[in-house]
Amino acid sequence: LLLKAANNLLINRNDLEFILIGGGDNIIKLKEIYNHNNIIFTGRLDNPMTILKSSDLLVVPSRIDSCPNTVLEALYNEIPVIASRVGGIPEILVDDDFLFDLDVSALENMILKFVENKDYFGQLKIKQSNRRSELMFNWSQKMSKIILE
């Protein structure tokens, strides 16, 4: 899904770059099909945070995921993230504006919305920062509060 969207977007835009982190059985075949200078395959990385923190936007096109660590890690590290509207992702991101259907054109439109509209991208960062705060908790603090009450 992401590779098809990236390929379509790169037909008209050369100012975008897509870095795909991860591997899989089809990685060699996919590299051949999506052979473009602005589509970079890193393979599996032990520590992808360096790449993620330097990225403008993380796209998580999961087909099913009950509790996606990638989305939680992005929020924790203040990396703007958009993701598919499946599994537990909507419960984490909450805001419908950051969720897309598993459809190539829906993903293309969502990426373009953030790339072309800096105000909208700024709203994404603010809303996700607020969501990050809502999801953060400290066990010792919570337990101390319960004990002290």
Side-chain angles (χ1 to χ4, degrees), residues 82-93:
I82 59 172
S84 53
R85 189 186 321 277
V86 299
I89 294 172
E91 291 178 44
I92 295 170
L93 290 181

Side-chain angles (χ1 to χ4, degrees), residues 7-128:
N7 194 58
N8 291 347
L9 289 169
L10 290 169
I11 290 170
N12 296 316
R13 300 188 63 130
N14 61 2
D15 61 330
L16 302 175
E17 181 178 72
F18 296 87
I19 302 173
L20 284 92
I21 300 170
D25 296 336
N26 297 324
I27 193 82
I28 293 170
K29 182 179 168 184
L30 292 172
K31 283 182 179 181
E32 291 172 7
I33 295 170
Y34 299 101
N35 183 13
H36 192 288
N37 289 338
N38 290 17
I39 298 177
I40 300 161
F41 293 84
T42 67
R44 179 166 165 52
L45 299 175
D46 289 333
N47 184 5
M49 272 307 144
T50 305
I51 291 174
L52 290 175
K53 286 185 176 186
S54 68
S55 300
D56 294 323
L57 183 67
L58 174 65
V59 179
V60 181
S62 294
R63 296 191 184 281
I64 185 166
D65 206 332
S66 59
C67 185
N69 285 336
T70 307
V71 173
L72 292 169
E73 289 168 356
L75 288 175
Y76 178 78
N77 287 287
E78 298 180 357
I79 300 163
V81 58
I82 59 172
S84 53
R85 189 186 321 277
V86 299
I89 294 172
E91 291 178 44
I92 295 170
L93 290 181
V94 179
D95 197 314
D96 219 34
D97 289 338
F98 313 135
L99 302 167
F100 55 85
D101 294 321
L102 288 171
D103 173 77
V104 174
S105 62
L107 178 53
E108 288 174 33
N109 291 334
M110 171 105 21
I111 291 170
L112 283 176
K113 182 168 52 173
F114 289 107
V115 168
E116 294 177 345
N117 188 334
K118 298 301 176 193
D119 290 336
Y120 200 72
F121 189 71
Q123 290 174 15
L124 164 79
K125 287 180 165 182
I126 291 167
K127 287 181 178 180
Q128 288 188 353

